Amino acid sequence: MSTRQQAPKFYETMSFRRKMKNSFVLFLLILGSIVILSPVWWMISTSLKTPGEIAQYPPSFMPESFQWSNYLKAWQTAPFTRWAINTIFITVCVVIGNVVVNSFVAYGFAKIRFRGKNFLFMLVLSTMLIPGFVMMIPQYMLFSKLHWINTYLPLIVPAFFGNAFFIFLLRQFFKTIPDEMIEAAKIDGANHFQIWWKLAMPLMKPAVITVAILSFNGAWNDFLGPLLYINDEKLYTLQIGLQTFKGTVQTQWHYLMSASVLVLLPVILIFFFFQRYFIEGSNITSGTKG
């Protein structure tokens, strides 16, 4: 009889602990979301304020009157349409280069047998240990000798020479494709190029979309690269163009924040629509077989 009475109490205690644990995790998630989204909200709020409202102290978290015209005026203050076209062109080229080249190299490391494959793969991964700032001066000297300064080539061409992290990520997913499927395709007369493009790539949609999203984010938000290699204002990207609102004496914060919101919007939309593939593609533990 005592055992029957103690069992419900035990399960009630476990249920209570589980609810407390879930509530605590939910509280941490809400707190973390507030911390992360606070700068975004401040940027949006500032973009809708007047200059006088931005300068007042203490600052207000909500604009007194929403100045929606700030977005249109910010876009018309400088040639942002031209800069947006430049940024889109660079970003598309970088995404194509990263997806095509890295997937082809990753397929070779995953499915083609050749001598020294593991050594070459470790050599590729070792390049991730080299800080980007160390390569900055040698790269600039190289591009300068090639007369690529003030062109888009230094921003686009490196994407067609592979990225160690993307190669590693895609290789792990290529290894999940059964070798029997590759052998069956070879028996049907397909070569490695056809197998990679027609068979493997359609099966790699989550990983390919993940690489495309990361490439898009890196190229779209790149500030240092255009700052180093672009001198002509007509060739500016959006990230460089945002600096036009920052003067030596005064900064037009309402226009700067409005333009920043517009520049950030494509990144948010792309992640929103492709987040399912991004989460699947980021799960490299599914590709650790073999």
Side-chain angles (χ1 to χ4, degrees), residues 98-99 102-103 106 165-174 176 200-215 274 276-284 286-287:
N98 278 325
V99 170
N102 290 303
S103 62
F165 174 73
F166 291 154
I167 292 173
F168 168 76
L169 178 66
L170 292 169
R171 173 185 176 272
Q172 298 306 104
F173 278 88
F174 274 124
T176 62
M201 288 297 284
L203 299 175
M204 296 279 295
K205 183 184 293 185
V208 170
I209 292 179
T210 299
V211 171
I213 292 175
L214 293 176
S215 301
F274 295 100
R276 179 170 65 90
Y277 298 104
F278 181 78
I279 293 173
E280 293 179 15
S282 300
N283 184 20
I284 62 174
S286 63

Side-chain angles (χ1 to χ4, degrees), residues 72-90:
L72 181 59
K73 292 178 181 178
W75 196 264
Q76 294 176 345
T77 300
F80 272 95
T81 302
R82 174 66 182 178
W83 296 341
I85 295 174
N86 297 341
T87 307
I88 292 173
F89 172 74
I90 295 172

Side-chain angles (χ1 to χ4, degrees), residues 14 33 60 101-103 115 122 147 169 176 201 231 244:
M14 291 295 293
S33 300
S60 59
V101 173
N102 290 303
S103 62
R115 183 176 298 178
M122 294 302 297
H147 304 287
L169 178 66
T176 62
M201 288 297 284
N231 301 322
T244 58

Side-chain angles (χ1 to χ4, degrees), residues 56-69:
Q56 72 180 13
Y57 185 84
S60 59
F61 290 94
M62 288 286 294
E64 297 177 359
S65 60
F66 293 87
Q67 303 293 323
W68 297 104
S69 60

Side-chain angles (χ1 to χ4, degrees), residues 51-230:
E53 205 174 342
I54 295 174
Q56 72 180 13
Y57 185 84
S60 59
F61 290 94
M62 288 286 294
E64 297 177 359
S65 60
F66 293 87
Q67 303 293 323
W68 297 104
S69 60
N70 286 347
Y71 290 94
L72 181 59
K73 292 178 181 178
W75 196 264
Q76 294 176 345
T77 300
F80 272 95
T81 302
R82 174 66 182 178
W83 296 341
I85 295 174
N86 297 341
T87 307
I88 292 173
F89 172 74
I90 295 172
T91 303
V92 170
C93 292
V94 170
V95 170
I96 292 174
N98 278 325
V99 170
V100 174
V101 173
N102 290 303
S103 62
F104 192 63
V105 174
Y107 171 82
F109 280 124
K111 294 301 180 182
I112 300 177
R113 298 178 181 177
F114 57 91
R115 183 176 298 178
K117 181 175 71 173
N118 293 331
F119 173 76
L120 288 177
F121 182 67
M122 294 302 297
L123 190 63
V124 170
L125 291 184
S126 65
T127 60
M128 297 175 62
L129 302 176
I130 304 175
F133 293 101
V134 175
M135 303 298 297
M136 190 179 301
I137 295 177
Q139 283 181 344
Y140 186 89
M141 294 175 63
L142 173 63
F143 295 144
S144 179
K145 291 182 180 297
L146 294 173
H147 304 287
W148 286 4
I149 303 301
N150 204 31
T151 67
Y152 294 145
L153 293 176
L155 306 176
I156 296 175
V157 172
F160 288 83
F161 283 85
N163 179 285
F165 174 73
F166 291 154
I167 292 173
F168 168 76
L169 178 66
L170 292 169
R171 173 185 176 272
Q172 298 306 104
F173 278 88
F174 274 124
K175 290 178 72 67
T176 62
I177 300 177
D179 293 334
E180 293 78 8
M181 189 178 298
I182 305 296
E183 295 299 327
K186 289 181 180 178
I187 293 175
D188 290 338
N191 54 38
H192 281 297
F193 182 83
Q194 293 171 327
I195 295 172
W196 160 71
W197 183 250
K198 295 183 178 180
L199 177 63
M201 288 297 284
L203 299 175
M204 296 279 295
K205 183 184 293 185
V208 170
I209 292 179
T210 299
V211 171
I213 292 175
L214 293 176
S215 301
F216 176 89
N217 187 47
W220 186 269
N221 294 320
D222 186 17
F223 172 76
L224 186 59
L227 181 65
L228 285 175
Y229 302 115
I230 303 300

Side-chain angles (χ1 to χ4, degrees), residues 260-282:
S260 298
V261 172
L262 295 176
V263 172
L264 181 63
L265 191 60
V267 179
I268 296 176
L269 292 177
I270 286 180
F271 181 79
F272 177 78
F273 286 110
F274 295 100
Q275 60 178 327
R276 179 170 65 90
Y277 298 104
F278 181 78
I279 293 173
E280 293 179 15
S282 300

